[in-house]
Amino acid sequence: MGLKLAGVMMILMLAMGGVVYWYYNDTQEKMAILHQNNAKLEQATKLQNETIKQLEGDVELAASIASGLQANVLELKKNIDAERNKFNKQSKLLGSRDIGKMAVSKARPIEKIINRGTIDKMRCFEIISGSKLTEKEINAQKPSQLNRSCPGIANPNRVQ
Amino acid sequence: MLILTGCSSVKPIEVKYSPVKQVQLNLPKVEELKLDPVDWYVVNQGNQEKVFKRLEKKNYDPALMGLTDKGYENLSVNLTKILTVMEQQRLTIEAYDKYQKRQADTIEQFNDDQTEKQKQATAQGAKKDETGVLGRFKFW
């Protein structure tokens, strides 16, 4: 009787042990998957944060380029006023400059100045459209060597 | 408890990354301007005969297209305005180009980093899986 009971108990214990073993394995597997899921989610969140940082960097870069361009545009607009001032220059010694009066009194020199100015201006258009600078233009430093219409573009080594 | 936990199932999640690719824009270069020369003649009441003689010497027709001093001034300022707009457009294109290049470099770097990180994460996950059932019983 006692032996039978021991046998039944043994079978029961083995069955229980099997169930516990299965339960342990199953839980461990689930825990491992959850760990992996957690790691993946952490990685995804990290990636998202880095992407956001990257986008913020792009926005900053765009803003800095735009502000640089804005400054250049403002600088360029000064050229228009400078051109207008060439015709209406006021001097304490000579009074106001009038190209019409100068053309009446000194037609030939004014003609030369106008032709030189036209050549310079046309060269500016060519340079802006992509024409490469000549050695003479690159090496120009003195005011007499400069392109007076657009020294900023045509003469990078000018003395300022 | 066995019934409750036995019925539940945990599925591994899958996170998908898709690297951002920048589309390259290849445009033809702007044609360079090659302008023809223009000669100006200054004519006033006193020098008109001389000027017309010069025209004759150069085999030009004895006719001039005229501008007043104010007209010349306006033409000059107008050309400067056109020049300014052209330069603005050139700078704008340059800025776009600069931005696109820098962004392309950053995106490439970012994608490379992420691919590397993903590889490392996968390798680590595989190492963890190598621990078998018996390994989990180890207490040392």
Side-chain angles (χ1 to χ4, degrees), chain A residues 41-145:
Chain A
L41 285 171
E42 268 177 25
Q43 182 69 18
T45 316
K46 224 180 197 179
L47 177 64
Q48 271 183 337
N49 285 338
E50 281 169 19
T51 310
I52 291 166
K53 233 182 231 176
Q54 178 61 43
L55 284 170
E56 281 171 356
D58 283 351
V59 171
E60 263 175 43
L61 174 66
S64 75
I65 289 175
S67 67
L69 184 64
Q70 187 64 28
N72 280 333
V73 168
L74 286 174
E75 197 60 38
L76 282 171
K77 278 184 179 169
K78 285 180 187 170
N79 289 347
I80 298 169
D81 294 330
E83 187 72 20
R84 223 183 275 280
N85 284 341
K86 280 181 191 171
F87 294 95
N88 306 304
K89 205 173 181 179
Q90 297 287 331
S91 158
K92 279 181 185 173
L93 268 174
L94 304 166
S96 62
R97 181 189 277 174
D98 187 330
I99 194 169
K101 281 178 186 163
M102 286 158 82
V104 171
S105 58
K106 290 174 181 174
R108 203 78 168 107
I110 291 296
E111 196 176 282
K112 279 181 185 167
I113 290 168
I114 287 176
N115 279 323
R116 161 92 198 263
T118 305
I119 290 167
D120 282 354
K121 185 82 80 192
M122 286 185 173
R123 182 67 191 136
C124 297
F125 279 108
E126 288 179 350
I127 294 167
I128 285 177
S129 75
S131 175
K132 282 184 181 166
L133 297 179
T134 61
E135 284 290 313
K136 210 176 161 186
E137 285 166 338
I138 293 168
N139 298 327
Q141 291 180 333
K142 295 174 191 168
S144 60
Q145 300 168 324

Side-chain angles (χ1 to χ4, degrees), chain B residues 19 22 34 39 59 81-82 105 111 117:
Chain B
Q22 198 179 36
K34 203 81 194 151
D39 283 331
N59 278 334
K81 283 179 181 173
I82 295 169
D105 290 346
N111 286 342
K117 277 179 190 171

Side-chain angles (χ1 to χ4, degrees), chain B residues 18-134:
Chain B
S18 54
V20 186
K21 282 179 186 168
Q22 198 179 36
V23 182
Q24 288 297 315
L25 181 67
N26 293 314
L27 296 173
K29 277 192 170 182
V30 180
E31 206 174 303
E32 281 179 30
L33 271 176
K34 203 81 194 151
L35 298 173
D36 298 321
V38 176
D39 283 331
W40 288 91
Y41 291 88
V42 176
V43 186
N44 57 34
Q45 281 178 325
N47 77 344
Q48 43 184 307
E49 278 180 28
K50 275 185 191 172
V51 172
F52 280 101
K53 268 182 191 167
R54 275 168 62 204
L55 291 180
E56 214 178 291
K57 268 187 190 172
K58 289 184 178 178
N59 278 334
Y60 288 140
D61 292 325
L64 290 166
M65 317 301 156
L67 276 180
T68 60
D69 58 340
K70 186 67 190 165
Y72 175 74
E73 182 186 327
N74 288 346
L75 179 71
S76 198
V77 172
N78 287 348
L79 282 177
T80 305
K81 283 179 181 173
I82 295 169
L83 203 63
T84 307
V85 171
M86 276 179 75
E87 179 64 356
Q88 277 177 29
Q89 285 174 339
R90 189 180 69 88
L91 288 171
T92 308
I93 292 166
E94 257 183 25
Y96 272 121
D97 193 44
K98 191 176 161 188
Y99 180 69
Q100 202 209 16
K101 274 181 190 159
R102 281 177 69 174
Q103 208 184 28
D105 290 346
T106 323
I107 287 174
E108 206 183 309
Q109 180 68 41
F110 184 73
N111 286 342
D112 287 349
D113 285 353
Q114 290 312 318
T115 316
E116 192 56 39
K117 277 179 190 171
Q118 226 174 318
K119 272 182 193 170
Q120 281 175 4
T122 318
Q124 275 179 353
K127 267 186 187 175
K128 274 181 191 171
D129 285 348
E130 279 168 13
T131 322
V133 180
L134 287 170

Side-chain angles (χ1 to χ4, degrees), chain A residues 5-25:
Chain A
L5 199 68
V8 171
M9 285 294 282
M10 192 69 161
I11 290 164
L12 267 173
M13 277 170 73
L14 278 171
M16 288 275 283
V19 169
V20 168
Y21 181 72
W22 168 82
Y23 176 70
Y24 174 79
N25 272 349

